[in-house]
Protein backbone atom coordinates (compact mmCIF):
# COMPACT_ATOMS: atom_id res chain seq x y z
CA UNK A 1 0.00 0.00 0.00
CA UNK A 2 1.28 3.47 -0.88
CA UNK A 3 2.55 5.44 2.13
CA UNK A 4 0.04 8.06 3.26
CA UNK A 5 2.67 10.79 3.37
CA UNK A 6 3.51 10.20 -0.30
CA UNK A 7 -0.06 10.45 -1.59
CA UNK A 8 -0.96 13.38 -3.89
CA UNK A 9 -1.39 16.74 -2.19
CA UNK A 10 -5.01 17.02 -3.28
CA UNK A 11 -6.57 14.72 -0.70
CA UNK A 12 -5.56 12.42 2.16
CA UNK A 13 -7.22 9.92 4.41
CA UNK A 14 -6.87 9.99 8.18
CA UNK A 15 -9.02 8.03 10.61
CA UNK A 16 -11.73 7.70 7.96
CA UNK A 17 -12.06 11.48 7.50
CA UNK A 18 -11.18 13.00 4.13
CA UNK A 19 -9.18 16.17 4.47
CA UNK A 20 -8.32 18.59 1.70
CA UNK A 21 -4.59 19.20 2.06
CA UNK A 22 -3.94 20.68 -1.37
CA UNK A 23 -1.43 23.50 -0.93
CA UNK A 24 -1.53 24.58 -4.60
CA UNK A 25 -2.83 28.15 -5.07
CA UNK A 26 -1.69 29.32 -8.50
CA UNK A 27 -4.41 30.03 -10.98
CA UNK A 28 -3.78 27.88 -14.11
CA UNK A 29 -4.15 31.01 -16.24
CA UNK A 30 -1.29 32.72 -14.36
CA UNK A 31 1.23 29.88 -14.28
CA UNK A 32 3.77 32.03 -16.06
CA UNK A 33 3.59 34.74 -13.39
CA UNK A 34 5.66 34.52 -10.23
CA UNK A 35 3.88 35.66 -7.07
CA UNK A 36 5.72 37.30 -4.21
CA UNK A 37 5.57 35.59 -0.84
CA UNK A 38 3.13 38.23 0.47
CA UNK A 39 0.90 37.93 -2.60
CA UNK A 40 0.93 34.16 -2.30
CA UNK A 41 -0.15 34.40 1.34
CA UNK A 42 -2.92 36.94 0.70
CA UNK A 43 -4.23 34.86 -2.18
CA UNK A 44 -4.22 31.75 0.04
CA UNK A 45 -6.11 33.62 2.76
CA UNK A 46 -8.72 34.66 0.24
CA UNK A 47 -9.17 31.13 -1.07
CA UNK A 48 -9.35 29.60 2.41
CA UNK A 49 -11.63 32.32 3.73
CA UNK A 50 -9.32 33.36 6.56
CA UNK A 51 -8.27 36.80 7.79
CA UNK A 52 -4.61 37.57 6.93
CA UNK A 53 -2.21 38.08 9.81
CA UNK A 54 -0.55 41.44 9.21
CA UNK A 55 2.42 40.48 11.41
CA UNK A 56 3.27 37.68 9.00
CA UNK A 57 3.26 40.00 5.98
CA UNK A 58 5.29 42.71 7.75
CA UNK A 59 7.94 40.26 8.96
CA UNK A 60 8.43 38.30 5.77
CA UNK A 61 12.09 37.76 5.03
CA UNK A 62 13.07 37.62 8.73
CA UNK A 63 14.62 34.52 10.24
CA UNK A 64 12.49 34.57 13.40
CA UNK A 65 8.72 34.56 12.76
CA UNK A 66 6.61 34.88 15.91
CA UNK A 67 2.89 34.25 15.36
CA UNK A 68 2.01 33.13 18.88
CA UNK A 69 -1.53 33.82 20.14
CA UNK A 70 -3.05 34.79 16.77
CA UNK A 71 -5.82 32.18 16.76
CA UNK A 72 -5.00 30.99 13.27
CA UNK A 73 -7.01 27.80 13.39
CA UNK A 74 -6.59 24.96 10.86
CA UNK A 75 -7.38 27.07 7.77
CA UNK A 76 -5.10 29.88 8.93
CA UNK A 77 -2.37 27.27 9.21
CA UNK A 78 -3.13 26.14 5.67
CA UNK A 79 -2.73 29.67 4.27
CA UNK A 80 0.52 30.04 6.19
CA UNK A 81 1.77 26.67 4.95
CA UNK A 82 1.06 27.65 1.35
CA UNK A 83 3.15 30.81 1.71
CA UNK A 84 6.04 29.00 3.40
CA UNK A 85 6.37 26.03 1.04
CA UNK A 86 9.30 27.44 -0.86
CA UNK A 87 10.47 30.02 1.68
CA UNK A 88 14.21 30.21 2.29
CA UNK A 89 14.30 32.94 4.96
CA UNK A 90 12.37 31.73 8.00
CA UNK A 91 14.36 29.46 10.30
CA UNK A 92 12.39 29.81 13.54
CA UNK A 93 8.57 29.52 13.39
CA UNK A 94 6.56 30.22 16.56
CA UNK A 95 2.89 29.13 16.46
CA UNK A 96 2.03 28.67 20.12
CA UNK A 97 -1.63 28.98 21.24
CA UNK A 98 -3.24 29.07 17.78
CA UNK A 99 -5.92 26.36 18.01
CA UNK A 100 -4.31 24.57 15.06
CA UNK A 101 -5.64 21.13 15.98
CA UNK A 102 -4.50 18.01 14.13
CA UNK A 103 -5.77 19.31 10.81
CA UNK A 104 -3.63 22.42 11.05
CA UNK A 105 -0.63 20.30 12.03
CA UNK A 106 -1.15 18.23 8.88
CA UNK A 107 -0.94 21.33 6.65
CA UNK A 108 2.28 22.39 8.36
CA UNK A 109 3.83 18.95 8.06
CA UNK A 110 2.99 19.01 4.33
CA UNK A 111 4.76 22.34 4.07
CA UNK A 112 7.87 20.91 5.72
CA UNK A 113 8.16 18.37 2.92
CA UNK A 114 9.34 21.17 0.62
CA UNK A 115 10.60 23.80 3.06
CA UNK A 116 14.23 23.22 4.03
CA UNK A 117 14.92 26.42 5.97
CA UNK A 118 12.76 26.01 9.08
CA UNK A 119 14.85 24.31 11.75
CA UNK A 120 12.93 25.37 14.87
CA UNK A 121 9.18 24.90 15.29
CA UNK A 122 6.93 25.73 18.25
CA UNK A 123 3.48 24.09 18.16
CA UNK A 124 2.76 24.24 21.90
CA UNK A 125 -0.80 24.55 23.21
CA UNK A 126 -2.62 23.80 19.96
CA UNK A 127 -5.03 21.01 20.99
CA UNK A 128 -3.19 18.43 18.88
CA UNK A 129 -4.01 15.30 20.94
CA UNK A 130 -2.95 11.83 19.76
CA UNK A 131 -3.96 12.51 16.15
CA UNK A 132 -1.61 15.48 15.96
CA UNK A 133 1.18 13.45 17.56
CA UNK A 134 0.68 10.75 14.94
CA UNK A 135 0.90 13.27 12.09
CA UNK A 136 3.98 15.05 13.45
CA UNK A 137 5.85 11.86 14.34
CA UNK A 138 5.42 10.57 10.76
CA UNK A 139 7.04 13.74 9.46
CA UNK A 140 9.91 13.30 11.91
CA UNK A 141 10.63 9.89 10.38
CA UNK A 142 11.85 11.67 7.23
CA UNK A 143 13.12 14.83 8.90
CA UNK A 144 16.41 16.28 7.68
CA UNK A 145 16.08 19.91 8.75
CA UNK A 146 14.03 20.49 11.91
CA UNK A 147 16.36 20.50 14.92
CA UNK A 148 14.02 21.84 17.59
CA UNK A 149 10.31 21.16 18.16
CA UNK A 150 8.23 22.34 21.10
CA UNK A 151 4.98 20.45 21.72
CA UNK A 152 4.06 21.51 25.23
CA UNK A 153 0.46 21.38 26.44
CA UNK A 154 -1.12 19.34 23.64
CA UNK A 155 -2.87 16.62 25.69
CA UNK A 156 -0.37 13.98 24.56
CA UNK A 157 -0.80 10.65 26.37
CA UNK A 158 1.23 7.44 26.49
CA UNK A 159 0.16 6.49 22.98
CA UNK A 160 1.36 9.84 21.67
CA UNK A 161 4.65 9.37 23.50
CA UNK A 162 5.08 6.02 21.74
CA UNK A 163 4.60 7.73 18.37
CA UNK A 164 7.46 10.10 19.09
CA UNK A 165 9.63 7.38 20.63
CA UNK A 166 9.23 5.15 17.58
CA UNK A 167 9.99 8.01 15.19
CA UNK A 168 13.06 9.21 17.07
CA UNK A 169 14.67 5.94 18.15
CA UNK A 170 17.46 6.13 15.58
CA UNK A 171 17.15 9.83 14.76
CA UNK A 172 20.22 12.06 14.65
CA UNK A 173 18.77 15.38 13.39
CA UNK A 174 16.43 16.59 16.15
CA UNK A 175 18.36 18.24 19.00
CA UNK A 176 15.63 19.75 21.20
CA UNK A 177 12.33 18.03 22.10
CA UNK A 178 9.81 19.63 24.46
CA UNK A 179 6.92 17.41 25.59
CA UNK A 180 6.20 19.25 28.84
CA UNK A 181 2.74 19.95 30.28
CA UNK A 182 1.18 16.85 28.74
CA UNK A 183 -0.44 13.68 30.09
CA UNK A 184 2.42 11.24 29.69
CA UNK A 185 2.42 8.56 32.38
CA UNK A 186 4.54 5.49 33.18
CA UNK A 187 4.05 3.65 29.90
CA UNK A 188 4.93 6.75 27.91
CA UNK A 189 7.98 7.24 30.11
CA UNK A 190 9.04 3.69 29.31
CA UNK A 191 8.75 4.34 25.56
CA UNK A 192 10.75 7.55 25.84
CA UNK A 193 13.35 5.84 28.02
CA UNK A 194 13.89 3.19 25.36
CA UNK A 195 14.14 5.96 22.77
CA UNK A 196 16.87 7.73 24.75
CA UNK A 197 18.86 4.51 24.75
CA UNK A 198 19.02 4.40 20.95
CA UNK A 199 18.68 8.05 19.89
CA UNK A 200 21.91 9.73 18.80
CA UNK A 201 20.77 13.31 18.29
CA UNK A 202 18.66 14.78 21.10
CA UNK A 203 20.61 17.11 23.39
CA UNK A 204 17.74 18.75 25.32
CA UNK A 205 14.68 16.76 26.50
CA UNK A 206 11.92 18.46 28.49
CA UNK A 207 9.41 16.09 30.12
CA UNK A 208 8.37 18.37 32.97
CA UNK A 209 4.77 18.63 34.17
CA UNK A 210 3.75 15.08 33.25
CA UNK A 211 2.81 12.04 35.37
CA UNK A 212 5.89 9.84 35.02
CA UNK A 213 6.78 7.71 38.05
CA UNK A 214 8.32 4.31 38.86
CA UNK A 215 8.46 2.31 35.62
CA UNK A 216 8.84 5.36 33.41
CA UNK A 217 11.49 6.90 35.65
CA UNK A 218 13.51 3.68 35.79
CA UNK A 219 13.34 3.36 31.98
CA UNK A 220 14.58 6.93 31.58
CA UNK A 221 17.48 6.12 33.88
CA UNK A 222 18.28 2.95 31.94
CA UNK A 223 18.23 4.89 28.67
CA UNK A 224 20.47 7.56 30.12
CA UNK A 225 23.10 4.95 31.01
CA UNK A 226 23.88 4.27 27.36
CA UNK A 227 22.94 7.63 25.81
CA UNK A 228 25.84 9.65 24.42
CA UNK A 229 24.25 12.93 23.29
CA UNK A 230 21.74 14.16 25.89
CA UNK A 231 22.97 17.25 27.75
CA UNK A 232 19.86 18.52 29.52
CA UNK A 233 17.07 16.43 31.06
CA UNK A 234 14.12 18.17 32.73
CA UNK A 235 11.77 15.83 34.61
CA UNK A 236 10.54 18.39 37.15
CA UNK A 237 6.91 18.25 38.29
CA UNK A 238 6.51 14.50 37.82
CA UNK A 239 6.38 11.79 40.49
CA UNK A 240 10.01 10.72 40.93
CA UNK A 241 10.90 9.19 44.30
CA UNK A 242 13.63 6.91 45.71
CA UNK A 243 13.29 4.19 43.04
CA UNK A 244 13.54 6.64 40.16
CA UNK A 245 16.33 8.59 41.86
CA UNK A 246 18.23 5.34 42.32
CA UNK A 247 17.96 4.59 38.61
CA UNK A 248 19.22 8.07 37.75
CA UNK A 249 22.02 7.66 40.27
CA UNK A 250 23.16 4.47 38.55
CA UNK A 251 22.94 6.25 35.18
CA UNK A 252 25.19 9.07 36.41
CA UNK A 253 27.88 6.49 37.12
CA UNK A 254 28.10 5.70 33.41
CA UNK A 255 26.76 8.75 31.57
CA UNK A 256 29.40 11.27 30.49
CA UNK A 257 27.40 13.89 28.57
CA UNK A 258 24.59 15.13 30.83
CA UNK A 259 25.30 18.62 32.20
CA UNK A 260 21.86 19.59 33.59
CA UNK A 261 19.40 17.49 35.56
CA UNK A 262 16.18 19.08 36.88
CA UNK A 263 14.31 17.03 39.48
CA UNK A 264 12.45 19.93 41.07
CA UNK A 265 8.96 19.40 42.49
CA UNK A 266 9.00 15.61 42.72
CA UNK A 267 9.06 13.27 45.73
CA UNK A 268 12.82 13.33 46.28
CA UNK A 269 13.28 12.75 50.02
CA UNK A 270 16.48 12.14 51.99
CA UNK A 271 16.55 8.47 50.97
CA UNK A 272 16.19 9.42 47.31
CA UNK A 273 19.02 11.95 47.65
CA UNK A 274 21.28 9.26 49.09
CA UNK A 275 20.55 6.98 46.12
CA UNK A 276 21.15 9.82 43.67
CA UNK A 277 24.46 10.52 45.38
CA UNK A 278 25.70 7.03 44.44
CA UNK A 279 26.11 8.45 40.95
CA UNK A 280 27.20 11.93 41.97
CA UNK A 281 30.07 10.38 43.94
CA UNK A 282 31.90 9.57 40.69
CA UNK A 283 30.21 11.67 37.98
CA UNK A 284 32.46 14.29 36.38
CA UNK A 285 30.20 16.00 33.82
CA UNK A 286 27.00 17.16 35.54
CA UNK A 287 27.27 20.89 36.25
CA UNK A 288 23.71 21.92 37.23
CA UNK A 289 21.47 19.98 39.62
CA UNK A 290 18.01 21.30 40.55
CA UNK A 291 16.24 19.72 43.51
CA UNK A 292 14.08 22.53 44.84
CA UNK A 293 10.53 21.89 46.12
CA UNK A 294 11.14 18.30 47.20
CA UNK A 295 10.53 16.72 50.65
CA UNK A 296 14.26 16.54 51.45
CA UNK A 297 15.56 17.96 54.73
CA UNK A 298 18.78 19.39 56.10
CA UNK A 299 20.02 15.80 56.46
CA UNK A 300 19.64 15.17 52.72
CA UNK A 301 21.28 18.50 51.96
CA UNK A 302 24.28 17.49 54.10
CA UNK A 303 24.53 14.13 52.31
CA UNK A 304 24.47 15.90 48.95
CA UNK A 305 27.08 18.49 49.88
CA UNK A 306 29.35 15.89 51.50
CA UNK A 307 29.24 13.81 48.32
CA UNK A 308 30.19 16.81 46.20
CA UNK A 309 33.03 17.66 48.56
CA UNK A 310 34.44 14.13 48.45
CA UNK A 311 34.27 13.83 44.66
CA UNK A 312 37.36 15.69 43.54
CA UNK A 313 36.33 15.27 39.89
CA UNK A 314 32.82 16.71 40.34
CA UNK A 315 31.88 19.30 37.72
CA UNK A 316 28.93 20.72 39.66
CA UNK A 317 28.75 24.51 39.43
CA UNK A 318 25.20 25.08 40.70
CA UNK A 319 22.99 23.17 43.13
CA UNK A 320 19.46 24.43 43.72
CA UNK A 321 17.91 23.25 46.99
CA UNK A 322 16.41 26.66 47.70
CA UNK A 323 13.33 25.19 49.39
CA UNK A 324 15.41 23.28 51.99
CA UNK A 325 15.99 25.00 55.34
CA UNK A 326 19.52 24.18 56.51
CA UNK A 327 21.31 24.57 59.84
CA UNK A 328 24.72 25.66 61.05
CA UNK A 329 26.53 22.43 60.18
CA UNK A 330 25.50 22.75 56.51
CA UNK A 331 26.73 26.35 56.31
CA UNK A 332 30.04 25.39 57.92
CA UNK A 333 30.47 22.49 55.48
CA UNK A 334 29.66 24.78 52.57
CA UNK A 335 32.43 27.13 53.70
CA UNK A 336 34.85 24.21 53.54
CA UNK A 337 33.61 23.23 50.09
CA UNK A 338 34.02 26.81 48.86
CA UNK A 339 37.67 26.69 49.87
CA UNK A 340 38.07 23.82 47.40
CA UNK A 341 35.53 24.98 44.80
CA UNK A 342 35.00 28.75 45.11
CA UNK A 343 32.88 28.84 41.92
CA UNK A 344 30.21 26.46 43.24
CA UNK A 345 26.82 28.16 43.77
CA UNK A 346 24.40 26.55 46.20
CA UNK A 347 20.91 27.97 46.66
CA UNK A 348 19.35 27.11 50.01
CA UNK A 349 17.09 28.59 52.69
CA UNK A 350 18.00 29.39 56.25
CA UNK A 351 16.03 30.48 59.33
CA UNK A 352 16.74 33.86 60.97
CA UNK A 353 17.60 32.10 64.21
CA UNK A 354 20.21 30.02 62.42
CA UNK A 355 21.69 33.15 60.87
CA UNK A 356 21.97 34.70 64.33
CA UNK A 357 23.62 31.56 65.69
CA UNK A 358 26.12 31.53 62.85
CA UNK A 359 26.87 35.22 63.42
CA UNK A 360 27.36 34.60 67.13
CA UNK A 361 29.64 31.66 66.42
CA UNK A 362 31.75 33.78 64.06
CA UNK A 363 32.06 36.46 66.75
CA UNK A 364 33.05 33.83 69.31
CA UNK A 365 35.77 32.48 67.01
CA UNK A 366 37.05 36.02 66.47
CA UNK A 367 37.01 36.59 70.23
CA UNK A 368 39.15 33.48 70.85
CA UNK A 369 41.53 34.40 68.05
CA UNK A 370 42.17 37.78 69.64
CA UNK A 371 43.02 36.00 72.89
CA UNK A 372 45.17 33.44 71.07
CA UNK A 373 43.05 30.71 72.65
CA UNK A 374 41.51 27.59 71.10
CA UNK A 375 37.92 26.44 71.58
CA UNK A 376 39.24 23.35 73.34
CA UNK A 377 41.24 25.48 75.82
CA UNK A 378 38.21 27.66 76.52
CA UNK A 379 35.86 24.78 77.35
CA UNK A 380 38.44 22.76 79.25
CA UNK A 381 38.91 25.71 81.58
CA UNK A 382 35.17 25.71 82.27
CA UNK A 383 34.84 21.92 82.60
CA UNK A 384 37.12 21.52 85.63
CA UNK A 385 35.39 18.32 86.73
CA UNK A 386 35.82 16.81 83.23
CA UNK A 387 32.12 16.04 82.77
CA UNK A 388 32.28 16.94 79.05
CA UNK A 389 29.33 19.28 79.64
CA UNK A 390 29.13 23.07 80.03
CA UNK A 391 25.90 24.86 80.82
CA UNK A 392 24.74 27.78 78.66
CA UNK A 393 24.75 30.06 81.70
CA UNK A 394 28.36 29.16 82.56
CA UNK A 395 29.40 29.73 78.94
CA UNK A 396 27.81 33.22 78.78
CA UNK A 397 29.26 34.19 82.19
CA UNK A 398 32.75 33.08 81.15
CA UNK A 399 32.64 35.10 77.91
CA UNK A 400 31.46 38.21 79.78
CA UNK A 401 34.19 37.84 82.40
CA UNK A 402 36.90 37.48 79.78
CA UNK A 403 35.63 40.57 77.92
CA UNK A 404 35.45 42.56 81.19
CA UNK A 405 39.03 41.60 82.09
CA UNK A 406 40.20 42.64 78.63
CA UNK A 407 38.59 46.09 78.97
CA UNK A 408 40.02 46.53 82.49
CA UNK A 409 43.47 45.57 81.28
CA UNK A 410 43.20 48.12 78.48
CA UNK A 411 42.34 50.97 80.90
CA UNK A 412 45.20 50.02 83.24
CA UNK A 413 47.67 50.03 80.39
CA UNK A 414 46.48 53.47 79.32
CA UNK A 415 46.97 54.72 82.83
CA UNK A 416 50.51 53.42 82.99
CA UNK A 417 51.24 54.95 79.62
CA UNK A 418 50.00 58.30 80.89
CA UNK A 419 52.19 58.11 84.02
CA UNK A 420 55.24 57.30 81.93
CA UNK A 421 54.57 60.37 79.85
Amino acid sequence: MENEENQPLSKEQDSGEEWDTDLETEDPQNKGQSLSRAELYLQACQRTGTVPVSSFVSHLGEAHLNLNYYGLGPLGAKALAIALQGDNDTTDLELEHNQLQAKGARYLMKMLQTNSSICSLNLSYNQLHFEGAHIISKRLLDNYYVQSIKLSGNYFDDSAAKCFADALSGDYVLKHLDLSHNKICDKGGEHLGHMIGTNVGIEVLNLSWNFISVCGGVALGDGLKVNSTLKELDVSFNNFGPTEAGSLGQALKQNCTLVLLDLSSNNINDQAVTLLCHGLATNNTLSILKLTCNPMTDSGALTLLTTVKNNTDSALEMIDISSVFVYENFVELLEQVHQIRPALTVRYSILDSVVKNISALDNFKKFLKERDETIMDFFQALDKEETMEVSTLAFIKAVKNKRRKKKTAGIHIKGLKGEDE
Side-chain angles (χ1 to χ4, degrees), residues 140-144 162-175 191-192 194-202 227 229:
L140 291 176
L141 282 169
D142 299 317
N143 172 47
Y144 294 99
K162 186 178 187 305
C163 287
F164 292 115
D166 291 344
L168 296 171
S169 289
D171 182 75
Y172 60 91
V173 179
L174 194 70
K175 305 298 181 186
H191 294 313
L192 293 170
H194 297 154
M195 180 271 289
I196 290 176
T198 56
N199 179 274
V200 289
I202 295 177
N227 182 277
T229 59

Side-chain angles (χ1 to χ4, degrees), residues 281 303-314 337 340-341:
T303 300
L304 178 61
L305 193 57
T306 301
T307 301
V308 175
K309 177 189 175 185
N310 294 338
N311 181 4
T312 56
D313 294 325
S314 175
V337 174
I340 306 170
R341 299 191 182 94

